[in-house]
Amino acid sequence: MTTLDVNRLRSETPGTRQVNHLNNAGAALMPDPVCRTIVKHLELESQIGGYEAAEERREEIEAVYQALGQLIGADTENIALTENATASFTQALSAVSFKPGDVIVTTRNDYVSNQIMYLSLASRFGIEIVRAPDDPSGGVDVSAIEELIHRRRPKLVAVTHIPTNSGLVQKVADIGTICRQRKTLYLVDACQSVGQMPIDVKQIGCDFLSATSRKFLRGPRGIGFLYISDWALDSGLVPLFPDLHGAHWIEEDLFQPLPDARRFENWEFPVALVLGLGRATEYALDLGLEAVRERAWGLAARARDQLAEIESVSILDRGAERSAIVTIATAGHDPAKLTSSLRAQGINTSLSTRDYAVLDFDDKGVEAAVRVSPHYYNTEEEIDAFVARLSGLLL
């Protein structure tokens, strides 16, 4: 495994000279090559026009699909570009032809926007949302979800790989094996996992995988992508409102969807952001996702070890495998005030509230938490400085 040159990576990340950025689960600091790619295209648009610039960059745009396919082990025909991970998730859900009585099986660890979408589908179409129980160690009980799939015959199984409110890593590949055996549609929210660990959609066995650019992949905000399996494409799944880019009219009331994943795309793209996403993906691939995971998860483990020594701090992360997201409760201290105080001193963390994860936070008996999410370009000294400063605030 390649050892990362942290000094070089930090030199390519100017923001590290300004701030101790431990909010990569929110939006990571972009490296210079990504920023330059975006600015270069915007300058071209200003010189020759937006459509003309996109035409001139056609090959580079196609290369983005190739890079994303390499990142998650997919063919380019199975990749669609979207505005963000939520848009990807929505497009996937909208392609499933739900009818009254259909069942979605999911977990207790989805982000609030996913849960709201499930509730909306239940209200509009009369479907049933069934949440599998957690394993005692944390994360969905795979045997329980298998029993639900066998007994309830769901139209869709939807699982979040790494919740935004926890360091938990769910066993999405084990669930995928069950879904394939039962020929059940399977949607994975990989918003927090893409960019911080290796992802292989064939190994996971999912039909849809939604992801974003701005988090651990270190790309720009405002762009994401969606993977759609061959089985889902061959089944004729089409988003609820296919765009001109995704379908051809045959006659007045009929259309023919494109044969690949681009039927899930919209016509209008922020091309500069698309190219930035591609460059961020190439950057991650050059580093190697195994090395990225080892370092990011190692820094998170260092933070957990030190935070566990503070009397008023409780580590909220559960599961046999824990990611680069660390969440803590702070007895007697308001997490909102703590994150604000840390930011004022150049340490970026994040506030997670019950609104984001009602089921998980109720299970843990907390209203809010401080979320800390280091990445590979952070240093051990930055982790230590954060813990020392937090300790001072808790006195």
Side-chain angles (χ1 to χ4, degrees), residues 82-387:
T82 65
E83 297 90 334
N84 49 55
T86 298
S88 294
F89 201 86
T90 303
Q91 286 288 75
L93 281 179
S94 77
V96 183
S97 299
F98 291 109
K99 61 182 184 300
D102 283 341
V103 172
I104 293 178
V105 168
T106 186
T107 78
R108 298 178 63 81
N109 291 285
D110 285 315
Y111 185 56
V112 63
S113 62
N114 298 4
Q115 297 283 7
I116 289 171
M117 282 188 261
Y118 304 150
L119 294 174
S120 175
L121 289 170
S123 175
R124 293 174 60 200
F125 298 111
I127 67 173
E128 184 180 357
I129 311 303
V130 178
R131 297 181 180 88
D134 280 350
D135 183 274
S137 65
V140 68
D141 185 328
V142 175
S143 61
I145 212 168
E146 181 175 19
E147 172 63 19
L148 286 171
I149 293 171
H150 172 72
R151 182 164 48 87
R152 301 302 307 273
R153 298 291 196 272
K155 191 71 168 282
L156 177 73
V157 173
V159 177
T160 296
H161 194 184
I162 296 178
T164 190
N165 55 283
S166 171
L168 170 71
V169 182
Q170 302 230 72
K171 298 176 181 178
V172 291
D174 292 348
I175 298 169
T177 297
I178 299 165
C179 289
R180 290 282 61 77
Q181 292 170 348
R182 298 287 181 180
K183 291 183 167 45
T184 302
L185 280 171
Y186 182 30
L187 166 59
V188 172
D189 179 345
C191 184
Q192 293 289 3
S193 55
V194 166
Q196 69 159 299
M197 64 184 294
I199 299 290
D200 186 334
V201 291
K202 302 297 195 307
Q203 181 183 33
I204 292 173
C206 56
D207 297 295
F208 300 100
L209 184 135
S210 58
T212 190
S213 166
R214 65 181 162 87
K215 297 180 183 289
F216 289 95
L217 195 53
R218 301 186 66 196
R221 298 184 70 179
I223 194 72
F225 66 94
L226 174 66
Y227 160 82
I228 307 99
S229 71
D230 287 336
W231 184 52
L233 291 172
D234 293 343
S235 298
L237 295 183
V238 180
L240 184 60
F241 297 108
D243 190 88
L244 172 65
H245 191 61
H248 298 296
W249 290 103
I250 298 174
E251 51 186 76
E252 185 176 352
D253 58 352
L254 294 175
F255 71 91
Q256 177 64 48
L258 292 178
D260 60 15
R262 299 193 196 190
R263 71 181 71 161
F264 287 79
E265 294 184 342
N266 289 324
W267 169 256
E268 182 61 33
F269 280 118
V271 175
L273 302 186
V274 170
L275 295 174
L277 166 61
R279 187 65 189 91
T281 303
E282 293 168 354
Y283 196 88
L285 290 169
D286 289 343
L287 295 178
L289 274 301
E290 291 281 0
V292 165
R293 174 174 59 184
E294 181 180 27
R295 175 154 183 85
W297 290 17
L299 290 170
R302 182 186 184 96
R304 288 192 192 96
D305 288 344
Q306 294 186 28
L307 290 166
E309 299 298 318
I310 304 175
E311 185 176 353
S312 56
V313 167
S314 299
I315 307 294
L316 300 177
D317 305 319
R318 303 173 65 202
E321 193 174 38
R322 300 182 184 184
S323 72
I325 297 177
V326 181
T327 52
I328 60 171
T330 51
H333 297 269
D334 182 358
K337 292 181 179 179
L338 291 173
T339 54
S340 294
S341 296
L342 288 166
R343 180 175 296 184
Q345 299 194 31
I347 302 174
N348 289 345
T349 59
S350 180
L351 173 69
S352 287
T353 70
R354 179 178 177 273
D355 292 341
Y356 301 159
V358 173
L359 300 175
D360 183 53
F361 274 31
D362 282 356
D363 288 344
K364 294 171 178 174
V366 296
E367 289 291 327
V370 176
R371 185 183 69 180
V372 186
S373 48
H375 210 355
Y376 58 81
Y377 61 81
N378 289 116
T379 64
E380 289 78 3
E381 291 76 16
E382 286 181 321
I383 298 297
D384 299 347
F386 153 69
V387 174

